Amino acid sequence: MDTSMALVCDVDGTLLGDDAALGHFAEWYLQREREIRLVYNSGRFIDSVMESVATTLLPTPDAIIGGVGTEIGFPATGNRLTTWWERFHEWNPDAIAEMLKDDPRLQPQPEEFQSNYKRSYYAHNLTPSELDELHRRVSTVSSASLVYSSQRDLDFLPSQANKGTATAFLGCHWGLSYDRIIVAGDSGNDKAMFELGFLGIVVANAQPELQQLADRRIYLSPYSYASGVLDGLRQWLPDDPPPLPSHVSSTLASKSAE
């Protein structure tokens, strides 16, 4: 495969959310798949993302980063990039679960959202000081990072793992420099992708924590879902920009109508 770039996209709320726009994205990508490696980077696990590939217009990707950066896999072979897990030193999910089991602010998410490398909770409207306190407590029993998104979803991960570091690891595996990687997202667990210097696309329906990002390498699209991704690609691929769907409406127009 003669590919020189990678497009790393969140799935729910970024590519999924507008079926017509997703169809335009898929049509564009299938004409460019020899030039651009497609990666889905999701809070969901790889098998769940592949279910969406089977039931929607999502093109089959070259790789999937799942579980908020805790697993990397290749759909064509079913293989996992096992060297990624070798970095997760001093990670102890059982100790985390034991420490937090009686915290009234936290409700464990269903077992299908848990793994050996991810402990996840529902925790509504936590303040920054509460998040800092939780991180300090957990850090006494395990090397861990904390990701909070949509004022609800709280993930504890190995300190080396997030959507950004996993993207960087995969890019290195493929021999791609950061300026050959484009990332796109809509929620707080995508923020790590925008902090490492990749070319970024924030779609218009993104959560406030992404809308507030300001960097010359991050493009804030006025379009939502896959239309926003296509719009961002027009910014970062000016020599061969994809067409925008005719039905798209900008965030500014939506706000003016409210």
Side-chain angles (χ1 to χ4, degrees), residues 14 39 68 75 91 149 204:
T14 301
V39 181
V68 200
W91 162 249
S149 58

Side-chain angles (χ1 to χ4, degrees), residues 18-191:
D18 182 332
D19 290 344
L22 177 59
H24 282 273
F25 172 83
E27 182 179 359
W28 168 82
Y29 172 70
L30 291 175
Q31 297 173 7
R32 301 290 185 275
E33 60 182 337
R34 289 189 60 83
E35 306 152 26
I36 300 175
R37 296 180 192 254
L38 179 61
V39 181
Y40 297 146
N41 198 343
S42 178
R44 290 192 273 146
F45 295 118
I46 290 173
D47 290 345
S48 175
V49 174
M50 285 305 298
E51 290 176 5
S52 291
V53 172
T55 57
T56 71
L57 294 174
L58 285 170
T60 300
D62 295 288
I64 297 175
I65 297 169
V68 200
T70 58
E71 58 178 8
I72 303 172
F74 305 101
T77 62
N79 294 334
R80 299 293 196 263
L81 192 55
T82 58
T83 50
W84 178 232
W85 292 325
E86 295 172 2
R87 298 165 59 92
F88 301 164
H89 305 297
E90 300 180 5
W91 162 249
N92 190 335
D94 293 335
I96 292 173
E98 178 65 22
M99 170 166 280
L100 300 179
K101 67 179 183 180
D102 296 323
D103 193 314
R105 299 167 296 181
L106 309 183
Q107 176 188 352
Q109 293 185 14
E111 195 61 32
E112 64 189 278
F113 302 130
Q114 313 286 355
S115 80
N116 290 335
Y117 302 109
K118 175 174 171 284
R119 302 305 305 176
S120 297
Y121 299 83
Y122 296 123
H124 294 275
N125 301 313
L126 295 180
T127 65
S129 61
E130 287 178 305
L131 293 171
D132 288 342
E133 174 254 324
L134 285 167
H135 191 205
R136 285 195 301 271
R137 286 174 58 200
V138 164
S139 295
T140 65
V141 297
S142 176
S143 174
S145 62
L146 179 156
V147 177
Y148 189 51
S149 58
S150 303
Q151 288 295 300
R152 185 196 71 174
D153 299 318
L154 178 63
D155 299 311
F156 292 95
L157 314 171
S159 58
Q160 301 88 352
N162 59 53
K163 285 188 171 186
T165 54
T167 297
F169 192 84
L170 180 60
C172 182
H173 177 75
W174 281 337
L176 295 175
S177 60
Y178 282 20
D179 61 356
R180 306 302 294 170
I181 298 174
I182 303 171
V183 300
D186 77 298
S187 70
N189 69 17
D190 297 317
K191 189 175 180 181

Side-chain angles (χ1 to χ4, degrees), residues 177-183 191-200 215-218:
S177 60
Y178 282 20
D179 61 356
R180 306 302 294 170
I181 298 174
I182 303 171
V183 300
K191 189 175 180 181
M193 290 198 293
F194 298 96
E195 296 177 333
L196 294 181
F198 307 122
L199 302 175
D215 187 281
R216 64 181 181 83
R217 295 174 71 86
I218 300 174

Side-chain angles (χ1 to χ4, degrees), residues 238-258:
D239 295 335
D240 188 19
L244 283 176
S246 59
H247 75 287
V248 297
S249 59
S250 70
T251 298
L252 292 177
S254 298
K255 287 184 177 179
S256 65
E258 292 177 355

